[in-house]
Amino acid sequence: MTTIYLIRHGQAEGNLYRRCHSWHNGLLTLKGREQVKALEKRFEGTHFDAVYSSDLYRAMATAGAIYRPRGLTLRVDPNLREIGAGVWEDVPWGQLLHDHRESLTAFLTCNPSWEVEGGETFSRVRQRVQEAILRIADAHQGQTVAVVSHGCAIRMALSSWLGLELEEVHQLHLSNNTGVARLEIENGQVKVAYYNDDSHLVDPTLPKASIVYGILGIEKNALRFRPLLLPQEKEQYLSARQDGWQASHGTMDGFDGEKFLSVAQANSAYDKNCVLLALLGDTPVGVLQMDWLQDADQQAGRVPFFFMMPEFRSKGLGVQLLGHAVCTYRAMGRQTLRLRCAPENERAKQFYISHGFHKVGEEPGGIGHLDTMEKYIGLEL
């Protein structure tokens, strides 16, 4: 008998930033790396003969908890990938909800009819992942193997082994990040001893829900973005700038709205997607401004303005603006994300630090100087 521990990757950027990351690559979050440490501790007394993962970064990084301590070689199999989402890749869930509500509902409820351009069907991913797992079991008869894959891929693979038809898959809990299923395989027959065991986590990433996020959860929390039209919407931009200045410095001394507006218009003229309005449904919640030219020679992406409207602060939404900047600049080949923070703005500073930023210098600005904060966004194991 072959024993396979089938494991979902740790929390990744797509989970945190609320974006459709199926085949799209992204890093583990700080929380995800802590989950991987807990996974390593869980299995520290378990013997493994081999470790496999999908070829996506978040799975390979998670697999490091098992293959590295044992000096094993990671075996990478693209057939263990998440379901392919085609033209939906790296699109914010809020945008998909706004543009494709019916299709997104079908996806979240695992409707077998779901299909998008360039993507896979649920039946295809189930067949692909099951066949990969059975091939691994056949190659390691009588041994113990770790296999790291993805939420939907694991759910689909387990479904028929648990006696569920495609139309019934929505009844099966989505595995939490680093959740473990134990499979016992002999003569091509698969017994699921247990699944979605995340007992090694003090703080599980998700409740044991039957739907991926739940359409209601996405509706309440997922943002979308559109270009902020300048100069037509300059009053909205200036109002955000004024509020941001006051919140950062506690005074309006030194505020130069025309200078800020001039820079924003120059960014917007270069590309309309440099200055964006973040929306929850149709309600504006923040502004994200990017400068695609500044610091480009240093392989850094610059964010001159990051703003959440007061009534939407401390609600867990700001990280999606950060995520949009990360994904935008990574697609351009940038290695770091850079922004400035008033040293007296403790609230903003703690937010940035909690999401992987650290101080790398100081720049003139504000009412004295501003701290230059930087975050690594490259993809390296």
Side-chain angles (χ1 to χ4, degrees), residues 44 59 67 84 117 131 136 165 172 210 212 264 278 294 299 302:
E44 62 186 2
Y67 79 84
E117 180 184 348
E131 289 177 351
I136 291 169
E165 300 294 333
L172 183 62
S210 61
V212 177
Q294 187 178 5
Q299 290 188 297
R302 174 69 75 151

Side-chain angles (χ1 to χ4, degrees), residues 145-362:
V145 182
V147 174
V148 183
S149 186
H150 305 262
C152 180
I154 291 172
R155 189 186 206 181
M156 298 309 300
L158 292 179
S159 60
S160 64
W161 291 332
L162 291 169
L164 297 174
E165 300 294 333
L166 277 173
E167 292 78 10
E168 301 172 308
V169 173
H170 65 276
Q171 301 174 20
L172 183 62
H173 296 316
L174 177 76
S175 177
N176 288 354
N177 290 117
T178 67
V180 180
R182 177 185 164 111
L183 310 181
E184 298 170 354
I185 304 174
E186 191 166 14
N187 299 323
Q189 300 301 306
V190 180
K191 175 187 175 183
V192 181
Y194 58 78
Y195 65 94
N196 198 12
D197 179 356
D198 58 2
S199 56
H200 53 283
L201 298 180
V202 175
D203 178 22
T205 56
L206 295 169
K208 290 180 171 62
S210 61
I211 297 177
V212 177
Y213 290 109
I215 193 70
L216 186 59
I218 282 187
E219 197 160 21
K220 287 182 176 180
N221 299 306
L223 304 183
R224 64 186 180 94
F225 300 85
R226 72 157 175 85
L228 185 64
L229 305 178
L230 296 173
Q232 299 96 309
E233 296 179 313
K234 69 177 184 179
E235 294 305 322
Q236 185 164 14
Y237 178 80
L238 286 172
S239 176
R241 270 293 190 178
Q242 291 166 359
D243 187 278
W245 186 277
Q246 180 69 39
S248 293
H249 306 293
T251 176
M252 290 306 294
D253 293 348
F255 180 78
D256 188 344
E258 289 305 313
K259 180 180 178 180
F260 286 135
L261 182 60
S262 176
V263 173
Q265 287 180 314
N267 294 153
S268 186
Y270 182 78
D271 191 293
K272 65 179 182 180
N273 291 305
C274 283
V275 186
L276 299 171
L277 186 67
L279 302 109
L280 183 60
D282 293 319
T283 303
V285 301
V287 175
L288 173 67
Q289 181 178 339
M290 296 175 282
D291 187 332
W292 293 356
L293 299 180
Q294 187 178 5
D295 298 339
D297 59 333
Q298 301 171 49
Q299 290 188 297
R302 174 69 75 151
V303 176
F305 187 43
F306 183 103
F307 173 77
M308 291 297 295
M309 295 178 181
E311 62 270 33
F312 292 101
R313 292 171 189 163
S314 300
K315 295 184 181 296
L317 298 176
V319 69
Q320 294 179 61
L321 278 72
L322 175 62
H324 196 80
V326 168
C327 293
T328 297
Y329 279 122
R330 182 180 291 140
M332 297 179 182
R334 309 294 172 87
Q335 295 296 302
T336 59
L337 184 65
R338 194 174 292 168
L339 46 76
R340 303 187 302 174
C341 179
E344 61 269 26
N345 191 346
E346 198 62 34
R347 180 178 182 174
K349 188 186 302 183
Q350 289 307 311
F351 169 79
Y352 295 134
I353 291 172
S354 71
H355 291 294
F357 283 86
H358 62 281
K359 181 178 176 179
V360 295
E362 297 179 356

Side-chain angles (χ1 to χ4, degrees), residues 7-13 15 21 28 32 35-36 39 56-63 82 148-151 154 175-179 205:
I7 305 163
R8 187 186 178 195
H9 61 78
Q11 187 192 61
E13 290 174 326
N15 306 130
H21 283 182
L28 293 177
Q35 292 169 337
V36 171
L39 185 71
L56 297 175
Y57 178 94
R58 56 195 187 270
M60 293 190 293
T62 302
E82 183 59 287
V148 183
S149 186
H150 305 262
I154 291 172
S175 177
N176 288 354
N177 290 117
T178 67
T205 56

Side-chain angles (χ1 to χ4, degrees), residues 51-66:
V51 181
Y52 288 76
S53 87
S54 91
D55 60 342
L56 297 175
Y57 178 94
R58 56 195 187 270
M60 293 190 293
T62 302
I66 301 174

